[in-house]
Amino acid sequence: MANVLHIVVCAGIVPDPLQTLEPVTTPAGPGLKNEMVLPAVLDPWAACALYEAAHLAAGNPGSKVWLVSLGPKAKLQQVMMTVAQKVNFELVPIDGPIGGFTDAHATAAVLAETIAALPGLERDRLLLFGGWESATRGSGVTLQLVGERLGITDQFQGVDQIALRDDGSFEVLERVEGGKHQASVCGGTPAVLGWATGNLAEPRNNPQVGMANMRTMMPALQKAKPATLAANGLRYASVSLPKQQRTTRVVKDMTADAIASELAEWIGAE
Amino acid sequence: MESILVLTHAEESGTELSKGSLEAVTAGKELAARLGASFTIGIVAAHAPAGVLASAGARVLAVQGEAFAQARYASDAAACEALCRAANASIVLAPSSSRMARVAAGVAHRLGGVIDTHITSLGGSEGVEATRWFYRQRMEGVISRDARPWFLLLDAGTHAAFSGPAGEVHVEQVAVELPTQRTIVSGFREPPQDAQTIRPDARLLFVAGAGWTKKQPDGEIHAARAGELILGFLRVTGASLGSSKSLVDQGSENQPVLPFLTHMNQVGQTGSTPRHPKGLSTCCHGEEPHVVGWRFIGERRAISLDPNCGWTRGKADVVYIADAFEVMARVTELLAARKG
Amino acid sequence: MSTSTPTGETHAPEIDRQAMEVDIACAGFGPAMGGFLTTLTQAWKENPADPAFESRVMPGMPLQVVCYERADDIAAGVSGVVTRARGIRTSFPNLNAAEIPMAVEVKQERVFYLLDPIGASRRSFTLRFCDAILGRTGALFGIKDHAFELPWTPGFLNKHGGLVMSIGQFNQWVGSQLMESGLVQVWPGMPVSGPLFADRAVTGLRLVEQGVDKNGAQADGFMAGMDVRAQLTVVGDGPVGAVGHALDQRLGLPEGHARHEWAVGMKMVIELPEDSPLEPGTVWHTFGFPEPEIFGFLYVHPERLVSVGIFVPSWLSDPSRTAYRYLQHYIQHPALWRYLKNGTLRSWGAKSLEESGRRGEPFLTGNGFARIGEGSGSTNMLTGSGVDEAWTTGTQLGQAVLELLRAGKPFTRETLAATYEMRRRASWVERGAREAENARNGFHGGVVRGMIGMALAGLTGGRLSLGAHIPPAHKQIREPASHSVEEGLRRDDAAALAVADGRPLHDALMTARGWPEIAFDGRLLVSHQDALLMGGKVQAMPGYADHVIFRDAGLCIACESKTCISMCSGQAITEGADGLPAFEREKCVHCGACLWNCAQSPDGEHSNIEFRAGAGGLHSAEN
């Protein structure tokens, strides 16, 4: 028997991971040079969470996926044109600052408040999804804080798999140290799952999925609620690029054998 | 005056404190000494293995019981909350272990506190300043906060593990009222021992790049041979295997081009940033493995066919311009012979 | 509808293919499409109740307008420009350059003839003679840093009052306004494989197959490309776009028209040192170096960013022509290096320019379709301007479509010709195109002759020009080593160097010809491979077929020049097994240079390389 799930995915937007980044000081604190010009993508781990959510929803008819995203409206719109072609979801945009130097507690407060107010969301069907860390702040705490604010005490981090059972319980595999997974069975929703990569490939771009999402997306973007994030006493003494530059010896004229000997010596006996 | 609590937990067998926990103890001890703060260590375990803390000079609290043998959000959060309240902590240090990373934020929230994670060092002339990475290890920030309690999760390998003569330790038990447990931990899943390629304690990280499965100088692809060479090397050296995203992504769905690779092997970008004393990168051309994936590797060497590869320059100590197929086969032979 | 036949990929008939009906389907989002969609949305915002905007396929809904773009982002994979912005300002009368990142008004325009300080460029006797005179009398002519500044900027080159822009940022700016309107949808990351034909009429677009292997065979997660059926298909997919090419193949070109002239434009976006004196809005045009045939430019954006680049034309007949290495030498010319030294490479990219202009103009309209932008032959090669022209052709089609919708008329060859073509023919775009039509003829007879011809055409408004027979691009590539014995020896040296150093042959040949090695500094002077990662971030999602196809393997194997390899902007084409070039999609920047840098032709007109619709490409919004 299928379970009707209400899956809320929290996913921010981040600079394309391939871009070269440089910090700058702005009146509002540290930021990225050229931040609004850099191409942006959906946060990679959170994107995995979104694909898993869509997959789960597709297998459980009647389920629904919301994508809650905090970022500058114009940037969100841009990124969503690609994301919207991947899977079905309802976008819940929050027009706020971009970047990794904001306070996770403030972000969590805004997200929790937005999620709690989602029309039609039933808390006892709720699976709160997101990435186990972002590619910006990378703190890995926002989702837990949102969960706590929503009173959810079954939380999992570094999730690579969820297997739903007929009775509504589900098994979760979480990444733990040493390349292993911890397996747990949770009695049922609500729960918080911070995803690692999962096992799904990135879905194909489907124009019809895009068109379907677009019906709600543009109106939602137009009505996006503005949010300011409190600093909560977080102060930055400095933000800098690492200075460590090594002197690299480029070895061009050694035979494979000679290189192998040198390397074997360097590696030594394990 | 600050009151410092270090949250620790037992490692998987339950008989010892985890390495990360002992590293956090060192950090806590140093910080308490510098600030003249009170110093408490809290343990979450089935049976607190506190003996090692005999010389830590700390008050030791523990939440014990079978419910704490395994890592689980609800029980761990309750335990950590109780320890923090019992210690009346203003600064809480803990390892960035999967166990603590799961619950620490929730506990901070319950106590009305704040949290920062992936801390690599604690400094500051008067108060506390914490250093951490942003944007996937691309930039480093130094932060401070007024709010208390302030939770700081320390990255593994950033402090020496605390050690001292084992002895009698007075452990104060802290009682916890557990909420109803809706989650049952059923155990661990891991690849069979010979297929496990992720070895966090290995001295060497071996990074395989996409070049292994690309066209070789003879114009052909030799993926099977590449797989044999890589596994052969790992068998002889016990090295941990890291991979670039482009190599992991090369396969079709759920079927990587090198069957033993998974996304868990990936370093950089959406992968990990492991810590190992040495790293050897092969057939790898790009920023992610070299800048992000290598951030915490001590000595670094690379084998590349491209003499002008800018990604190794300034990041590796030595770059060998050579065919990795040839070199790695020979290295494995040499090391195998040496092992006897 | 069932009579429609797809073009592009062919697959087994039992494929489950989705189909969708829209009112207007558009291929490619660049300046031309920006102009078209802006014209529609501006009219819609003025009066959303206008019955013209009622959808025919979804009664009760507004007009369904969808646009599909190959690049992963509408800001990715395009190039920066200086433009008079005449048409753009007509669309946005209150345009404030400060609203568009990297845009600034043109403040100063200069033209330089660059001497060769190295002595490696291939200069004719006449040119050497001129250079010698200039060199000797340098002080008299104000020569500085091996550069002779023309005392004035010829009127036809003048962009005064125009804008220096990043097209990536401009596209993003336009795109976000379009999307906000709610009338049109622009979908990035969705290549169009070709038009849907019903005989000679176009009935819509077919999107590319996904979940296929490199050869196009079905693999995991196969998803057939959707058919998007429309009453009007707007083709703005540029000079190497798959839809435009399929149309040319099916319909041919108008009598006397041909696409024989091409260039690859390659550029870098460089962050200048902090003490740079270059003012935003500064524009330089250069010629003479690194080869006499190679034109160059330098445009200064705000915030110490500069776009610097070169154009390597098809009439540079050298089979070992290459763009990246030439660009590295170009930026190191003393006149430029004085400013660029200690700069940092921020972005890098390349694109093909269709330089036949009006002579390469295809059928602009037909039943169910219209063509706009560079692929429609709008680029003016006399003024070196394409963006404003492209934009304007888009707005002209937009006005025409509004007129036809309001009149309730169908989109036929006749109605589109009477509205769109009529507007275009009567406009400054057409006048400019006619002036430029023969302006570059002289270059096929040498650089000096070319410059004279260009000046003649430019100064007489196209009334005077030199005549020329311009062969197909593949015939413009001369046989390797046929130039001289000396050249042959250099080629042998280069081959040895290439083997010894593991570098591409053409790069080794540059060295053998006396070009100094590039002293890599890891910031601005980086290897070509690094530029792929550092300057443009080339990406290709798995699950798509290769888009560069070598049609007749036998011809490739027998081909000695293999210019496709040396001119590949991303080193995506390399020497493969058995002499057949190998293509790596992950490195392709979609510049399309391979299409016209192929010396072989199976049919005497087209080259042996087919450039299909493909996914991926550059990830940089600064271009």
Side-chain angles (χ1 to χ4, degrees):
Chain A
M1 196 186 77
N3 300 287
V4 173
L5 300 169
H6 285 180
I7 311 176
V8 175
V9 183
C10 296
I13 54 174
V14 303
D16 186 327
L18 298 173
Q19 298 295 318
T20 305
L21 305 179
E22 204 179 311
V24 289
T25 305
T26 74
L32 289 187
K33 186 169 188 173
N34 235 0
E35 195 153 25
M36 290 302 284
V37 174
L38 291 170
V41 296
L42 196 66
D43 203 329
W45 278 306
C48 296
L50 176 65
Y51 307 149
E52 295 282 350
H55 184 70
L56 207 53
N60 292 278
S63 300
K64 183 170 177 184
V65 177
W66 286 264
L67 176 65
V68 181
S69 194
L70 170 70
K73 201 160 81 170
K75 276 296 213 200
L76 283 178
Q77 178 188 298
Q78 194 187 330
V79 173
M80 289 306 154
M81 290 314 290
T82 307
V83 179
Q85 297 180 64
K86 304 278 182 196
V87 292
N88 287 301
F89 59 85
E90 182 178 322
L91 178 69
V92 184
I94 307 167
D95 189 9
I98 195 169
F101 299 109
T102 51
D103 180 49
H105 298 270
T107 306
V110 171
L111 292 175
E113 192 188 321
T114 306
I115 293 166
L118 283 179
L121 178 74
E122 295 172 35
R123 192 183 165 281
D124 56 0
R125 298 185 187 279
L126 174 62
L127 284 177
L128 180 65
F129 276 22
W132 67 331
E133 276 185 10
S134 68
T136 51
R137 184 166 48 230
S139 63
V141 302
T142 312
L143 207 59
Q144 291 95 316
L145 295 171
V146 176
E148 277 290 323
R149 282 176 176 271
L150 297 174
I152 305 173
T153 53
D154 288 280
Q155 299 203 9
F156 306 89
Q157 292 297 321
V159 177
D160 270 334
Q161 192 175 305
I162 180 171
L164 212 60
R165 299 168 173 184
D166 287 348
D167 64 357
S169 66
F170 52 86
E171 188 193 55
V172 178
L173 295 188
E174 292 170 281
R175 286 188 188 183
V176 294
E177 285 75 11
K180 287 189 284 192
H181 283 112
Q182 174 171 297
S184 310
V185 176
C186 179
T189 51
V192 173
L193 278 79
W195 284 85
T197 52
N199 294 312
L200 297 177
E202 188 170 331
R204 308 287 174 215
N205 289 348
N206 186 331
Q208 284 194 321
V209 169
M211 299 280 277
N213 283 332
M214 193 49 61
R215 289 193 194 110
T216 55
M217 190 175 291
M218 280 301 152
L221 278 162
Q222 275 158 5
K223 287 185 290 190
K225 186 179 70 171
T228 44
L229 301 181
N232 286 341
L234 171 63
R235 286 187 306 273
Y236 285 85
S238 68
V239 176
S240 55
L241 291 174
K243 295 282 185 296
Q244 44 179 307
Q245 182 79 5
R246 301 190 176 208
T247 310
T248 306
R249 174 165 67 97
V250 182
V251 178
K252 277 187 182 174
D253 302 321
M254 256 164 99
T255 62
D257 274 355
I259 293 171
S261 306
E262 193 173 300
L263 274 175
E265 203 55 45
W266 175 69
I267 291 165
E270 280 279 320
Chain B
M1 192 180 76
E2 302 281 13
S3 159
I4 293 168
L5 168 69
V6 176
L7 287 174
T8 65
H9 59 88
E11 44 81 73
E12 205 180 302
S13 71
T15 55
E16 291 173 2
L17 288 181
S18 72
K19 185 162 171 269
S21 295
L22 292 170
E23 290 173 6
V25 168
T26 302
K29 191 172 160 62
E30 284 171 9
L31 187 65
R34 182 164 70 79
L35 299 176
S38 66
F39 179 34
T40 308
I41 297 169
I43 305 172
V44 182
H47 311 283
V52 67
L53 303 174
S55 62
R59 179 186 174 202
V60 179
L61 308 175
V63 171
Q64 302 191 78
E66 283 311 314
F68 308 103
Q70 290 159 321
R72 168 182 33 222
Y73 186 86
S75 48
D76 281 354
C80 292
E81 182 186 350
L83 287 168
C84 291
R85 290 192 192 280
N88 197 21
S90 63
I91 291 180
V92 181
L93 304 182
S96 287
S97 57
S98 60
R99 186 167 190 171
M100 283 299 166
R102 188 184 295 112
V103 296
V107 177
H109 177 77
R110 290 179 188 184
L111 295 168
V114 290
I115 182 166
D116 289 291
T117 57
H118 292 303
I119 307 299
T120 54
S121 72
L122 296 169
S125 52
E126 288 170 16
V128 179
E129 287 187 338
T131 304
R132 57 160 303 200
W133 293 94
F134 289 84
Y135 289 93
R136 302 291 297 132
Q137 287 77 38
R138 282 188 168 82
M139 52 193 79
E140 214 172 19
V142 180
I143 54 173
S144 61
R145 290 189 186 258
D146 294 329
R148 296 290 185 273
W150 185 14
F151 282 61
L152 293 151
L153 261 50
L154 304 164
D155 263 359
T158 54
H159 292 81
F162 175 80
S163 65
E168 273 298 304
V169 177
H170 172 63
V171 178
E172 298 173 44
Q173 303 297 322
V174 176
V176 174
E177 200 172 316
L178 278 177
T180 317
Q181 298 300 308
R182 296 171 69 240
T183 295
I184 298 159
V185 178
S186 49
F188 295 101
R189 306 263 170 89
E190 56 183 316
Q193 207 51 44
D194 59 342
Q196 176 59 281
T197 56
I198 300 168
R199 299 160 180 152
D201 294 325
R203 289 178 56 224
L204 178 74
L205 173 74
F206 179 80
V207 180
W212 278 104
T213 54
K214 293 214 163 141
K215 199 170 40 100
Q216 297 307 310
D218 64 358
E220 302 292 323
I221 289 171
H222 302 285
R225 172 76 180 137
E228 283 166 22
L229 282 171
I230 293 168
L231 286 179
F233 176 75
L234 296 181
R235 261 194 297 275
V236 173
T237 55
S240 188
L241 176 65
S243 158
S244 67
K245 183 174 189 299
S246 53
L247 182 56
V248 181
D249 282 351
Q250 261 177 32
S252 56
E253 280 169 39
N254 296 329
Q255 189 53 58
V257 66
L258 296 176
F260 48 89
L261 276 181
T262 73
H263 280 286
M264 289 171 77
N265 288 102
Q266 195 186 310
V267 296
Q269 206 162 329
T270 42
S272 61
T273 310
R275 283 174 191 269
H276 297 274
K278 290 178 184 176
L280 176 62
S281 126
T282 50
C283 301
C284 203
H285 187 103
E287 180 182 46
E288 289 297 326
H290 290 125
V291 176
V292 179
W294 269 29
R295 180 69 77 209
F296 306 129
I297 301 299
E299 297 173 37
R300 307 169 187 169
R301 297 194 178 194
I303 306 174
S304 167
L305 278 174
D306 181 1
N308 298 316
C309 174
W311 301 109
T312 49
R313 284 181 184 227
K315 285 138 204 145
D317 303 310
V318 185
V319 183
Y320 300 99
I321 309 305
D323 180 353
F325 278 76
E326 218 178 314
V327 174
M328 291 316 296
R330 191 76 191 109
V331 169
T332 306
E333 269 172 40
L334 287 172
L335 290 171
R338 199 177 287 187
K339 252 184 152 178
Chain C
M1 202 169 298
S2 56
T3 57
S4 295
T5 53
T7 59
E9 300 127 276
T10 51
H11 284 279
E14 69 271 17
I15 282 179
D16 178 21
R17 191 180 296 282
Q18 298 179 346
M20 184 171 76
E21 299 262 355
V22 300
D23 293 291
I24 302 177
C26 309
F29 185 80
M33 201 60 77
F36 172 66
L37 297 174
T38 296
T39 306
L40 290 192
T41 51
Q42 285 182 343
W44 145 269
K45 278 189 203 162
E46 260 174 40
N47 181 15
D50 187 338
F53 292 108
E54 263 175 42
S55 171
R56 273 53 167 179
V57 295
M58 292 179 75
M61 295 286 284
L63 204 66
Q64 299 291 298
V65 186
V66 292
C67 174
Y68 298 102
E69 163 58 34
R70 183 263 317 158
D72 292 345
D73 189 301
I74 56 170
V78 284
S79 185
V81 289
V82 57
T83 172
R84 276 184 191 154
R86 183 173 164 177
I88 292 169
R89 285 193 201 275
T90 307
S91 296
F92 305 107
N94 302 317
L95 181 100
N96 175 7
E99 283 177 15
I100 311 169
M102 293 176 73
V104 66
E105 304 221 344
V106 174
K107 300 270 166 36
Q108 182 203 73
E109 209 169 4
R110 303 165 77 178
V111 183
F112 293 94
Y113 171 64
L114 302 180
L115 297 165
D116 175 5
I118 294 166
S121 71
R122 295 168 307 107
R123 287 168 131 73
S124 64
F125 174 77
T126 324
L127 213 53
R128 280 183 201 283
F129 180 70
C130 296
D131 287 0
I133 293 177
L134 277 175
R136 296 257 162 81
T137 55
L140 201 63
F141 290 104
I143 287 190
K144 194 176 153 193
D145 295 330
H146 298 269
F148 167 64
E149 182 174 359
L150 263 59
W152 86 108
T153 304
F156 57 87
L157 277 181
N158 200 318
K159 304 287 190 303
H160 214 74
L163 296 171
V164 167
M165 292 202 295
S166 145
I167 288 297
Q169 290 303 315
F170 177 67
N171 274 355
Q172 200 159 296
W173 181 77
V174 171
S176 101
Q177 296 179 58
L178 290 174
M179 295 298 297
E180 266 176 20
S181 79
L183 180 70
V184 302
Q185 297 179 20
V186 186
W187 296 108
M190 184 49 76
V192 180
S193 77
L196 295 171
F197 283 111
D199 193 16
R200 288 170 70 86
V202 172
T203 59
L205 297 168
R206 173 165 292 177
L207 308 179
V208 289
E209 319 284 37
Q210 297 177 71
V212 290
D213 68 13
K214 68 198 289 323
N215 300 315
Q218 294 185 22
D220 284 344
F222 173 73
M223 196 170 89
M226 192 170 75
D227 283 350
V228 184
R229 303 188 190 282
Q231 297 148 52
L232 175 66
T233 299
V234 179
V235 184
D237 61 351
V240 298
V243 183
H245 271 249
L247 283 170
D248 293 345
Q249 293 248 310
R250 173 71 68 111
L251 308 175
L253 292 180
E255 182 67 31
H257 284 207
R259 303 191 150 187
H260 290 173
E261 292 155 282
W262 295 86
V264 72
M266 183 179 278
K267 74 157 198 192
M268 293 173 171
V269 177
I270 297 169
E271 185 175 327
L272 297 165
E274 279 184 19
D275 56 354
S276 173
L278 285 177
E279 270 187 65
T282 300
V283 172
W284 288 12
H285 310 279
T286 75
F287 61 105
F289 185 85
E291 296 291 359
E293 296 92 338
I294 294 177
F295 291 82
F297 62 87
L298 177 148
Y299 309 144
V300 187
H301 302 276
E303 296 182 14
R304 284 192 289 113
L305 286 181
V306 62
S307 288
V308 191
I310 54 170
F311 300 100
V312 181
S314 53
W315 38 271
L316 193 154
S317 56
D318 189 342
S320 294
R321 58 200 184 204
T322 179
Y324 187 71
R325 177 94 185 250
Y326 272 136
L327 179 56
Q328 289 179 312
H329 290 298
Y330 177 69
I331 63 169
Q332 291 183 85
H333 187 282
L336 289 101
W337 195 239
R338 154 200 284 268
Y339 300 103
L340 303 178
K341 193 180 167 189
N342 298 325
T344 307
L345 180 65
R346 278 273 288 267
S347 180
W348 158 92
K351 95 177 265 300
S352 278
L353 287 98
E354 209 282 285
E355 295 209 327
S356 305
R358 201 180 175 283
R359 271 204 299 244
E361 186 186 286
F363 291 108
L364 294 178
T365 58
N367 289 333
F369 80 89
R371 299 181 67 166
I372 54 176
E374 190 182 353
S376 76
S378 62
T379 302
N380 185 321
M381 288 320 302
L382 175 62
T383 59
S385 171
V387 169
D388 205 22
E389 284 76 1
W391 176 274
T392 305
T393 61
T395 63
Q396 288 162 347
L397 180 63
Q399 289 154 8
V401 166
L402 286 169
E403 185 184 327
L404 292 174
L405 287 171
R406 284 176 182 141
K409 289 187 180 168
F411 298 110
T412 63
R413 177 163 165 67
E414 288 72 30
T415 60
L416 288 164
T419 51
Y420 165 50
E421 271 193 69
M422 183 275 291
R423 280 180 169 82
R424 184 159 162 174
R425 300 290 177 227
S427 73
W428 61 269
V429 176
E430 175 80 2
R431 283 194 298 280
R434 286 193 181 279
E435 285 177 20
E437 200 159 7
N438 293 309
R440 292 209 171 189
N441 283 355
F443 285 107
H444 292 268
V447 176
V448 176
R449 200 175 135 82
M451 298 305 295
I452 293 168
M454 203 163 151
L456 259 183
L459 300 174
T460 64
R463 281 185 294 278
L464 294 178
S465 59
L466 301 177
H469 164 70
I470 299 163
H474 70 269
K475 287 199 172 151
Q476 295 175 40
I477 303 171
R478 70 170 153 68
E479 287 294 305
S482 65
H483 200 59
S484 66
V485 175
E486 190 187 12
E487 184 72 19
L489 289 173
R490 282 184 184 149
R491 211 173 160 81
D492 293 344
D493 285 351
L497 183 62
V499 170
D501 220 9
R503 65 164 91 180
L505 177 68
H506 57 279
D507 193 63
L509 193 58
M510 293 278 288
T511 303
R513 280 179 182 163
W515 288 96
E517 296 285 6
I518 306 295
F520 296 113
D521 61 10
R523 279 161 56 97
L524 180 52
L525 299 173
V526 299
S527 73
H528 201 168
Q529 287 290 297
D530 283 355
L532 290 181
L533 290 157
M534 190 172 159
K537 327 291 180 190
V538 185
Q539 282 239 299
M541 275 275 291
Y544 295 88
D546 279 354
H547 51 275
V548 170
I549 309 293
F550 305 98
R551 297 205 276 195
D552 179 341
L555 282 178
C556 288
I557 292 165
C559 176
E560 203 187 328
S561 52
K562 291 198 173 54
T563 305
C564 60
I565 295 175
S566 55
M567 270 299 275
C568 178
S569 297
Q571 282 190 346
I573 302 178
T574 49
E575 184 92 34
D578 307 324
L580 187 67
F583 174 66
E584 275 181 272
R585 198 164 68 81
E586 297 83 3
K587 292 182 183 173
C588 179
V589 300
H590 293 252
C591 75
C594 49
L595 184 64
W596 51 272
N597 279 286
C598 167
Q600 308 300 322
S601 173
D603 60 10
E605 174 65 22
H606 302 98
S607 79
N608 197 37
I609 289 180
E610 191 183 339
F611 194 84
R612 293 182 181 167
L618 278 171
H619 273 218
S620 171
E622 290 183 324
N623 280 323

